Amino acid sequence: MTSITLYIAQQLVKRAIGGDDDLDDSPDITTPDDGEGEEDPVTEEIFSSWALFILLSLLCAALWSSYFLQQRRIKAIHETVLSIFYGMTVGLIIRVSPGHYIQDAVKFNSGYFFNILLPPIILNSGYELHQANFFSNIGSILTFAIPGTFISALVLGIILYIWTAIGFDGVKMEFVDALAVGATLSATDPVTILSIFNAYKVDPKLYTIIFGESLLNDAISIVMFETCQKFHGQQVRFSSLFEGIGIFLVTFTISTIIGIAIGILVALILKHSHIRRYPQIETCLVLLFSYESYFFSNGAHMSGIVSLLFCGITLKHYAYYNMSRRTQIATKYIFQLLAQLSENFIFIYLGLSLFTEVELVFKPLLIIITFISICVARWSAVFPLSRFLNFLYKAKFKEFTNRNFMNGGISSQAVPDEISHSYQMMIFWAGLRGAVGVALAMGLQGEAKWALLATVLVVVVLTVILFGGSTASMLEILGIKTGVEQHMDSDDEFDIEAPRLPISIQPTPFNSNNNLMGNRRFNNSRPGVYQDEIRSRNESSASLSSNKTPNMNDNIPDEDDDMISDGDDLISNFQTSSTENGVLGAFLSAEEHAKWFTRFDEEVLKPVLLDTIPKKDNDNSN
Amino acid sequence: MTSITLYIAQQLVKRAIGGDDDLDDSPDITTPDDGEGEEDPVTEEIFSSWALFILLSLLCAALWSSYFLQQRRIKAIHETVLSIFYGMTVGLIIRVSPGHYIQDAVKFNSGYFFNILLPPIILNSGYELHQANFFSNIGSILTFAIPGTFISALVLGIILYIWTAIGFDGVKMEFVDALAVGATLSATDPVTILSIFNAYKVDPKLYTIIFGESLLNDAISIVMFETCQKFHGQQVRFSSLFEGIGIFLVTFTISTIIGIAIGILVALILKHSHIRRYPQIETCLVLLFSYESYFFSNGAHMSGIVSLLFCGITLKHYAYYNMSRRTQIATKYIFQLLAQLSENFIFIYLGLSLFTEVELVFKPLLIIITFISICVARWSAVFPLSRFLNFLYKAKFKEFTNRNFMNGGISSQAVPDEISHSYQMMIFWAGLRGAVGVALAMGLQGEAKWALLATVLVVVVLTVILFGGSTASMLEILGIKTGVEQHMDSDDEFDIEAPRLPISIQPTPFNSNNNLMGNRRFNNSRPGVYQDEIRSRNESSASLSSNKTPNMNDNIPDEDDDMISDGDDLISNFQTSSTENGVLGAFLSAEEHAKWFTRFDEEVLKPVLLDTIPKKDNDNSN
């Protein structure tokens, strides 16, 4: 018996050190097309277990240091940078240690990235999105996202093409490939922005613009990349440009529709079934349907990111009120958890892949040039566009003041909503590149592939470390308002409305968000009936929520106080955004649209989509 | 513009129908060792998106029909059977449809199974385990799990070896391989049992025995399988048997220790840090650490299942009380969600793989023989062991009654705890085989591999369909008490203690469970101080929880009422289990052990591991 124990002990130690010798007692019988899956599961399990163990340990380390930094209020160094360094360190160790199994297992896999890591982040962004802020800044967001990304990709592409044409590094590529690389490197990263700006709780307007931009321009650069790939090896005609733009616009619209449609579908299912009596199944279905929107959209060559984002928003706007209380809480917590894990993991993954991607070919010069041209491209996107936006603001403000003298109205709250120079600078600085770029770069073709991939990877890591690491000091230098958000680290399970985004004004999301949401989603306009509207619905929601959980009453009052100022603020926001889109003429008619849509949302959509008496339903389900 | 729209539309339709033509514009550049990951991510994304879309749709269908069946109270047909049929149908469609990409993507991958699908189920089982029931039946559970699995594997192995030796099917294999197949087919399935028995809410004692057995014998058959694999191609000596047993015992013990150790580690971390102020991070860490236990254990050739199970139990016993309220709720919901998804998915996966595994070689005769011999093996494991247990019960009961006359004690609650014939029959019937067997069979070696894998797969599906499908009628025929559990479909977010397992007696898990837990985990004994103990701690927990959420008070009273009877019931349970293990002599000392350990748990472990004043900490964290 003891001898056996000894034998086992030896086995253990031997295995625990390095599993390679497992290969002896199990020949590798991989079938080409489904990778490691078909090996001897026992052996396979050992390696994947170690790989996963390492990754999870890294994740623990990252989360722990994130806690530590928050706890110690250390802002000089940021967790994301730490995560990357952890990843790099372990990646190096794995690289030098014998046996390629673990190394292969922890390689950056764009499939995993797009199908596992990205969706939770996008979904959570949509679900926790502060709709008021987002849709009141939709103009600036779209401006920076769409033309911004085009400009940046174009500039990058041209510079890279010229550089490679000179041919110092012996890297040769067509213009479309250069453009493709430009596209991959124009995707600013929602993950980084989210985590850094949440930590510093910057002024919501700035936050929303940067966050919204980074969220949307991933979608745009993906579409651009795909389009460029389509032209790979072909002759590029001038019409291609328009075709590309056409493809993008169609993709964006259809993706949005898919997302909203699925959100509404869920709302209807929840309303017209008794599934809320089985909250576990309900929660699963909500999660599954939102994922369906992502995968369907991707499968149909649309933008899954856009679909998922709008699906999340729609879910929160309609379906949320048809859910059982338990599902409301469960979805919130689960989406947050998944998002948090993915966010932390992505950085580790990037750090790891620097060393675990064996085929990479590093071209120092090319990397430097690319890094510089990124800054140039970002610069030439941000500043002209901000100037353009500011011009619109000014014009609109003149228009607006005139209007106010007509119906001596709410001029008091109306302030010129310009993007100050410090904000412009910050938007420029926030242009870190993220994992989306790397994942896209995996799909590059041609002999330059590995050089370009290496370049993209290094540049992305550099931007995150340099820009990300210096964001804190940048915020101070530019004197940007931070620490605005207050409810951040509450762990009371009843603040299921606690906004993820920092916001100075605190509307009751039950009301103003939806309302805004309703208004903004279909056209950007200005509801006249706003304040009474809010107040009435606020009371209803107060009573409603008190019926669910008495504890919520504690929050209601102060939120009530905010409501009026909020209402006004929103209105000024509306005016802003209604011309941010440059539709100066539509300003008068906007109000009509607003009234029309608010009525439509209240009298048609809500009754159709929501349980008219959510309280009662919740009682049923208990 | 319109022409472009048309073009896009065509693109969409073309792609949406069948993505195969994507291959034209992107050559496959797979590197052998990380499968699909390295392909052009855009193309790759399309295929994996469709694959995932299909799988998620199946999952939705399964969940929806599960809701429908529950809603309509249909018990004749069971959701798991439906899931398998859905899987088979879609599998067939995929098989006949052109293009092998999706087919490969949805193939049964034992790596995915062991690393993604299985852990959540085990973790949730441990976390939601009704510790009182489990540990009071530990004797029967272990008896059925350990010798039971050995017997069944041996019988199966011998029959198969003889059959193949005759050589009707031209399948040749060594005895160890036959034994390996026997091992794979001796893993009764926790998933099926959980889902079916939860649906019918059978008598807790029977439920616990069957569930516990199926949970543990997975671990045992895995170890047996690995051991057999080790002897593959070697000469089998008689000592090998003892070596195998030795390996198993060591594995089991060490795995348990790993699990408990990590659970305690988490408890200590939570206690000695302020991480509960950052509940999001806290929740992530709890989840990550429990997974670490699984992967570490697997990586070290121990049994991840056992580790994870005991890690879950320990977490619930100690760490749970150091968590922020939010994390308590979040962990519960998240574990449940993940488990539910995995459970439903596994059946779909099994159904799918019947058609998507192209290499399978079906040998009808072999399949029939195997199916019959499974029944024989199960039979020869269940009935002799039950008779053995009943003998112990009788002996113990005599012993017990004598004792009661000595100290005229609590004989009133003491009932002979025999396993009635109907229960034995049900235990036999509940021996469905599950995905664990299939996942293991993936690792079979030798030229017979594909024939054996096909056999295992078909047999598993057959058992699930036949036994699983007929469980309902079997329960009626045998007249077994069902519909015991009551809190099942409550969706009140405050019943975070709602037990997953059906139980007639309803202790406040805060108290009796832990206590029991404490007693049973280290030795199975009988606490004398039980009831006062329970009452005192119950009050504390009542006040504690009321401090957290007033709403909990609604639940407390009736639970209080249960406590006394519960306490007694537990005591009688104790007596049972203390001799179920056949340690008749230890019966007297058991009480001493109990007193000793209860004191130890209360005066040493709890103070060390728990926050002495959880209430206060929770206030901090709010």
Side-chain angles (χ1 to χ4, degrees):
Chain A
M1 186 58 217
T2 51
S3 64
I4 293 162
T5 327
L6 264 172
Y7 168 78
I8 315 295
Q10 290 161 1
Q11 287 286 323
L12 283 186
V13 175
K14 209 172 69 198
R15 296 291 163 69
I17 291 162
D20 297 343
D21 48 6
D22 288 359
L23 290 179
D24 316 338
D25 53 34
S26 69
D28 185 332
I29 44 174
T30 315
T31 56
D33 42 32
D34 71 342
E36 296 156 318
E38 281 289 279
E39 286 174 21
D40 164 15
V42 178
T43 313
E44 174 48 31
E45 207 189 329
I46 302 307
F47 291 118
S48 48
S49 295
W50 281 122
L52 284 162
F53 180 75
I54 292 167
L55 293 178
L56 291 186
S57 317
L58 280 169
L59 213 39
C60 289
L63 284 165
W64 185 260
S65 40
S66 133
Y67 153 69
F68 185 81
L69 293 177
Q70 288 182 49
Q71 173 73 4
R72 291 270 183 288
R73 297 203 169 24
I74 300 167
K75 296 205 168 188
I77 181 168
H78 193 267
E79 60 179 283
T80 57
V81 181
L82 279 182
S83 303
I84 287 187
F85 276 122
Y86 293 155
M88 284 165 71
T89 321
V90 174
L92 187 61
I93 294 166
I94 293 173
R95 178 65 173 275
V96 295
S97 62
H100 60 100
Y101 279 79
I102 288 175
Q103 187 171 326
D104 297 334
V106 300
K107 247 184 190 171
F108 190 93
N109 176 330
S110 58
Y112 291 163
F113 176 78
F114 280 117
N115 296 328
I116 299 170
L117 295 177
L118 195 53
I121 297 169
I122 307 295
L123 176 59
N124 192 52
S125 314
Y127 203 68
E128 302 248 320
L129 183 67
H130 188 264
Q131 298 170 351
N133 287 349
F134 184 77
F135 287 101
S136 59
N137 289 304
I138 193 79
S140 336
I141 291 169
L142 288 176
T143 319
F144 283 118
I146 301 172
T149 313
F150 275 117
I151 294 171
S152 139
L154 210 64
V155 173
L156 251 166
I158 291 165
I159 297 175
L160 281 178
Y161 182 64
I162 292 165
W163 172 256
T164 50
I166 298 165
F168 273 127
D169 317 285
V171 181
K172 282 259 152 285
M173 55 179 169
E174 307 168 14
F175 182 66
V176 281
D177 295 343
L179 213 58
V181 178
T184 63
L185 281 172
S186 301
T188 63
D189 186 17
V191 179
T192 326
I193 302 301
L194 254 173
S195 78
I196 294 181
F197 273 41
N198 271 331
Y200 299 123
K201 307 184 174 64
V202 300
D203 170 27
K205 179 182 165 59
L206 179 62
Y207 180 101
T208 314
I209 292 175
I210 293 176
F211 166 60
E213 180 213 350
S214 59
L215 210 54
L216 291 181
N217 73 0
D218 286 343
I220 289 146
S221 52
I222 291 175
V223 178
M224 273 192 79
F225 182 81
E226 287 195 37
T227 321
C228 295
Q229 292 296 68
K230 218 177 271 95
F231 291 114
H232 176 76
Q234 298 175 25
Q235 197 48 256
V236 188
R237 300 174 311 284
F238 184 67
S239 65
S240 316
L241 176 62
F242 295 103
E243 185 179 342
I245 295 172
I247 292 179
F248 163 70
L249 289 176
V250 176
T251 308
F252 193 86
T253 323
I254 297 182
S255 308
T256 312
I257 292 167
I258 292 174
I260 294 168
I262 291 184
I264 287 175
L265 177 68
V266 173
L268 288 173
I269 291 174
L270 292 183
K271 181 184 176 184
H272 294 295
S273 73
H274 296 293
I275 196 155
R276 72 176 67 77
R277 292 178 191 170
Y278 308 91
Q280 284 197 32
I281 299 178
E282 187 189 17
T283 314
C284 295
L285 281 176
V286 171
L287 185 68
L288 287 173
F289 269 104
S290 27
Y291 268 71
E292 288 285 62
S293 74
Y294 179 79
F295 291 122
F296 177 76
S297 210
N298 279 340
H301 273 223
M302 296 291 102
S303 160
I305 294 180
V306 175
S307 300
L308 193 53
L309 179 66
F310 281 98
C311 181
I313 293 171
T314 319
L315 281 177
K316 192 64 173 288
H317 183 53
Y318 294 119
Y320 189 81
Y321 304 105
N322 303 347
M323 296 175 191
S324 67
R325 176 84 178 135
R326 178 187 154 135
T327 302
Q328 290 179 329
I329 292 178
T331 46
K332 186 205 176 208
Y333 288 172
I334 289 160
F335 292 172
Q336 278 183 0
L337 177 96
L338 295 176
Q340 172 119 38
L341 287 176
S342 305
E343 288 172 14
N344 284 279
F345 189 64
I346 281 173
F347 294 109
I348 294 167
Y349 215 16
L350 282 180
L352 268 173
S353 49
L354 261 178
F355 292 98
T356 50
E357 287 287 345
V358 281
E359 301 91 341
L360 294 178
V361 183
F362 295 94
K363 304 264 188 187
L365 262 176
L366 185 61
I367 291 169
I368 295 162
I369 295 294
T370 316
F371 186 76
I372 294 165
S373 46
I374 274 188
C375 304
V376 177
R378 179 80 183 163
W379 188 281
S380 48
V382 171
F383 290 94
L385 287 174
S386 322
R387 218 162 284 118
F388 167 70
L389 282 173
N390 285 341
F391 159 76
L392 289 181
Y393 285 126
K394 286 212 195 65
K396 188 226 84 208
F397 184 56
K398 217 185 279 101
E399 168 84 24
F400 173 69
T401 37
N402 302 346
R403 270 191 54 70
N404 280 357
F405 288 119
M406 282 179 228
N407 62 8
I410 42 178
S411 61
S412 53
Q413 292 87 21
V415 286
D417 230 330
E418 281 196 319
I419 302 175
S420 68
H421 184 74
S422 63
Y423 276 25
Q424 296 179 23
M425 196 58 207
M426 199 61 230
I427 293 170
F428 167 74
W429 205 259
L432 345 167
R433 272 51 173 169
V436 172
V438 178
L440 282 177
M442 293 268 171
L444 288 168
Q445 301 159 41
E447 72 286 354
K449 181 190 181 194
W450 291 110
L452 293 175
L453 182 52
T455 312
V456 171
L457 189 52
V458 175
V459 167
V460 165
V461 172
L462 274 180
T463 51
V464 173
I465 292 174
L466 293 184
F467 289 113
S470 60
T471 306
S473 25
M474 233 6 220
L475 285 169
E476 283 162 22
I477 293 164
L478 298 172
I480 287 167
K481 193 166 58 174
T482 58
V484 176
E485 210 273 329
Q486 59 273 53
H487 288 231
M488 207 53 201
D489 49 359
S490 133
D491 63 355
D492 166 14
E493 69 270 29
F494 305 117
D495 64 352
I496 56 168
E497 304 305 342
R500 179 92 184 255
L501 313 187
I503 30 166
S504 51
I505 53 157
Q506 180 86 22
T508 311
F510 267 107
N511 316 327
S512 40
N513 286 9
N514 313 344
N515 206 335
L516 256 170
M517 168 63 193
N519 292 318
R520 321 316 288 124
R521 196 169 70 260
F522 296 91
N523 68 38
N524 48 349
S525 50
R526 170 188 168 194
V529 292
Y530 214 69
Q531 300 185 26
D532 355 335
E533 226 288 295
I534 285 172
R535 231 178 258 89
S536 65
R537 308 239 327 288
N538 192 39
E539 282 140 20
S540 72
S541 88
S543 63
L544 175 149
S545 44
S546 63
N547 286 323
K548 291 179 190 156
T549 70
N551 314 51
M552 243 183 132
N553 291 341
D554 318 343
N555 315 342
I556 297 299
D558 45 342
E559 288 187 357
D560 264 330
D561 307 341
D562 300 336
M563 290 319 300
I564 295 90
S565 63
D566 177 24
D568 303 349
D569 199 299
L570 294 174
I571 287 169
S572 65
N573 280 339
F574 271 97
Q575 292 149 349
T576 330
S577 54
S578 66
T579 30
E580 269 167 349
N581 292 3
V583 273
L584 282 159
F587 190 74
L588 278 161
S589 58
E591 224 172 18
E592 308 314 313
H593 287 305
K595 288 215 188 71
W596 168 79
F597 182 76
T598 317
R599 259 202 313 284
F600 179 66
D601 190 37
E602 289 312 307
E603 293 166 13
V604 183
L605 286 181
K606 289 265 168 65
V608 171
L609 296 175
L610 299 194
D611 286 318
T612 39
I613 34 173
K615 168 192 168 304
K616 193 149 153 297
D617 290 313
N618 269 305
D619 290 351
N620 292 349
S621 54
N622 287 351
Chain B
M1 186 57 215
T2 50
S3 63
I4 293 163
T5 327
L6 265 171
Y7 168 78
I8 314 296
Q10 290 160 0
Q11 287 285 323
L12 284 185
V13 175
K14 208 173 68 197
R15 296 292 163 70
I17 291 162
D20 296 344
D21 47 4
D22 288 359
L23 289 178
D24 316 339
D25 54 34
S26 69
D28 186 331
I29 45 174
T30 315
T31 56
D33 41 33
D34 70 344
E36 295 157 318
E38 280 290 279
E39 283 174 21
D40 164 15
V42 178
T43 313
E44 174 49 30
E45 207 189 329
I46 302 307
F47 291 118
S48 49
S49 296
W50 282 122
L52 284 162
F53 179 76
I54 292 166
L55 293 178
L56 291 186
S57 317
L58 279 169
L59 213 39
C60 289
L63 284 166
W64 185 261
S65 40
S66 134
Y67 153 70
F68 184 82
L69 292 177
Q70 287 182 48
Q71 172 74 2
R72 291 270 183 287
R73 296 204 170 22
I74 301 167
K75 297 206 167 189
I77 182 168
H78 194 269
E79 61 179 282
T80 56
V81 181
L82 278 181
S83 303
I84 288 188
F85 277 122
Y86 292 155
M88 284 165 71
T89 321
V90 173
L92 187 60
I93 294 166
I94 293 174
R95 178 65 173 274
V96 296
S97 63
H100 61 100
Y101 278 80
I102 289 175
Q103 187 171 326
D104 297 334
V106 300
K107 248 185 191 171
F108 189 92
N109 175 329
S110 58
Y112 291 162
F113 175 78
F114 280 117
N115 297 328
I116 298 170
L117 294 178
L118 194 54
I121 297 169
I122 307 295
L123 176 58
N124 192 52
S125 314
Y127 203 68
E128 302 247 321
L129 183 69
H130 188 265
Q131 298 169 350
N133 287 349
F134 184 77
F135 287 101
S136 59
N137 289 304
I138 194 79
S140 334
I141 290 169
L142 287 175
T143 318
F144 282 118
I146 301 173
T149 313
F150 276 116
I151 295 170
S152 136
L154 210 63
V155 173
L156 250 167
I158 290 165
I159 297 175
L160 280 178
Y161 182 64
I162 293 165
W163 172 256
T164 50
I166 299 163
F168 272 128
D169 317 285
V171 181
K172 283 257 149 287
M173 55 179 171
E174 307 167 16
F175 181 65
V176 280
D177 294 343
L179 213 57
V181 177
T184 62
L185 281 173
S186 302
T188 64
D189 187 15
V191 178
T192 325
I193 302 301
L194 254 174
S195 77
I196 295 181
F197 273 42
N198 272 331
Y200 299 123
K201 308 188 176 61
V202 300
D203 169 27
K205 179 183 166 59
L206 179 61
Y207 180 102
T208 313
I209 293 175
I210 293 176
F211 166 61
E213 180 212 350
S214 59
L215 209 55
L216 292 182
N217 72 2
D218 287 343
I220 290 146
S221 52
I222 290 174
V223 177
M224 273 191 80
F225 181 80
E226 286 196 37
T227 320
C228 294
Q229 293 296 69
K230 217 177 272 95
F231 292 114
H232 175 75
Q234 298 175 26
Q235 197 48 256
V236 188
R237 298 174 311 285
F238 183 66
S239 65
S240 316
L241 176 62
F242 296 103
E243 184 177 342
I245 296 172
I247 292 179
F248 163 71
L249 289 176
V250 175
T251 308
F252 193 86
T253 323
I254 297 181
S255 308
T256 312
I257 292 167
I258 292 173
I260 293 168
I262 291 183
I264 286 176
L265 178 67
V266 173
L268 287 174
I269 291 174
L270 292 183
K271 181 185 176 183
H272 294 296
S273 74
H274 296 293
I275 198 156
R276 72 178 65 79
R277 292 179 190 170
Y278 308 91
Q280 284 196 33
I281 299 178
E282 188 188 16
T283 315
C284 295
L285 281 177
V286 172
L287 185 68
L288 288 174
F289 268 104
S290 27
Y291 268 72
E292 288 286 61
S293 74
Y294 180 80
F295 291 122
F296 176 77
S297 212
N298 279 340
H301 272 225
M302 295 292 101
S303 161
I305 294 180
V306 175
S307 300
L308 192 53
L309 179 66
F310 281 98
C311 181
I313 293 172
T314 319
L315 282 177
K316 191 64 172 288
H317 183 52
Y318 294 118
Y320 189 81
Y321 305 105
N322 304 348
M323 296 175 190
S324 67
R325 177 86 177 132
R326 177 187 154 136
T327 301
Q328 290 180 330
I329 292 177
T331 45
K332 188 207 174 206
Y333 288 172
I334 289 160
F335 292 172
Q336 278 183 1
L337 178 95
L338 295 177
Q340 171 120 37
L341 288 176
S342 305
E343 288 172 14
N344 283 279
F345 188 65
I346 282 173
F347 294 108
I348 294 167
Y349 214 17
L350 281 181
L352 268 174
S353 47
L354 261 180
F355 291 99
T356 49
E357 287 288 344
V358 281
E359 301 91 341
L360 294 179
V361 184
F362 295 94
K363 304 265 187 187
L365 262 176
L366 184 62
I367 291 169
I368 295 161
I369 295 293
T370 315
F371 185 76
I372 294 165
S373 47
I374 273 187
C375 303
V376 176
R378 180 78 183 164
W379 187 280
S380 49
V382 170
F383 289 94
L385 287 174
S386 320
R387 217 160 286 118
F388 168 69
L389 283 173
N390 285 341
F391 159 76
L392 289 182
Y393 283 126
K394 286 212 195 66
K396 188 226 85 211
F397 183 58
K398 214 182 285 102
E399 168 84 23
F400 174 69
T401 37
N402 302 345
R403 270 193 53 70
N404 281 356
F405 288 121
M406 279 179 229
N407 61 6
I410 41 180
S411 60
S412 54
Q413 292 89 19
V415 285
D417 230 332
E418 281 195 319
I419 302 174
S420 69
H421 184 73
S422 64
Y423 276 25
Q424 294 179 24
M425 197 57 207
M426 199 60 231
I427 293 171
F428 166 75
W429 205 258
L432 347 166
R433 273 47 175 172
V436 173
V438 178
L440 283 178
M442 292 270 171
L444 288 168
Q445 300 159 43
E447 72 284 357
K449 179 187 181 191
W450 291 111
L452 293 174
L453 182 52
T455 312
V456 171
L457 189 51
V458 175
V459 167
V460 165
V461 173
L462 274 179
T463 53
V464 173
I465 292 176
L466 294 183
F467 290 113
S470 60
T471 305
S473 25
M474 231 10 218
L475 285 169
E476 284 161 21
I477 293 163
L478 298 172
I480 286 167
K481 191 168 60 174
T482 59
V484 176
E485 209 271 330
Q486 58 273 53
H487 288 229
M488 207 51 202
D489 49 358
S490 135
D491 62 354
D492 166 14
E493 70 271 26
F494 306 117
D495 65 353
I496 56 168
E497 304 306 340
R500 181 91 184 256
L501 312 188
I503 31 169
S504 52
I505 51 155
Q506 180 87 21
T508 310
F510 266 106
N511 316 327
S512 39
N513 288 7
N514 313 344
N515 207 332
L516 255 171
M517 167 64 192
N519 292 316
R520 323 312 292 122
R521 197 169 70 257
F522 297 91
N523 67 39
N524 47 350
S525 50
R526 172 187 166 195
V529 294
Y530 215 69
Q531 298 185 26
D532 356 335
E533 224 290 297
I534 286 172
R535 229 177 261 90
S536 65
R537 308 239 327 284
N538 190 42
E539 281 140 21
S540 70
S541 87
S543 63
L544 174 148
S545 43
S546 63
N547 286 322
K548 291 177 188 160
T549 71
N551 315 50
M552 241 181 136
N553 292 339
D554 320 342
N555 314 341
I556 297 299
D558 46 343
E559 289 186 356
D560 265 329
D561 307 341
D562 299 335
M563 291 319 300
I564 296 86
S565 63
D566 176 27
D568 303 348
D569 200 299
L570 295 173
I571 287 169
S572 65
N573 281 338
F574 270 100
Q575 293 149 350
T576 330
S577 55
S578 65
T579 32
E580 268 167 349
N581 294 0
V583 271
L584 283 161
F587 190 74
L588 278 160
S589 57
E591 225 174 18
E592 307 316 311
H593 287 306
K595 288 215 187 73
W596 167 79
F597 181 77
T598 315
R599 259 204 313 285
F600 179 65
D601 190 37
E602 288 313 307
E603 292 167 14
V604 183
L605 286 181
K606 289 266 167 63
V608 172
L609 296 175
L610 300 194
D611 285 318
T612 40
I613 33 171
K615 169 192 167 301
K616 191 150 156 297
D617 291 313
N618 269 302
D619 289 352
N620 293 349
S621 54
N622 287 354

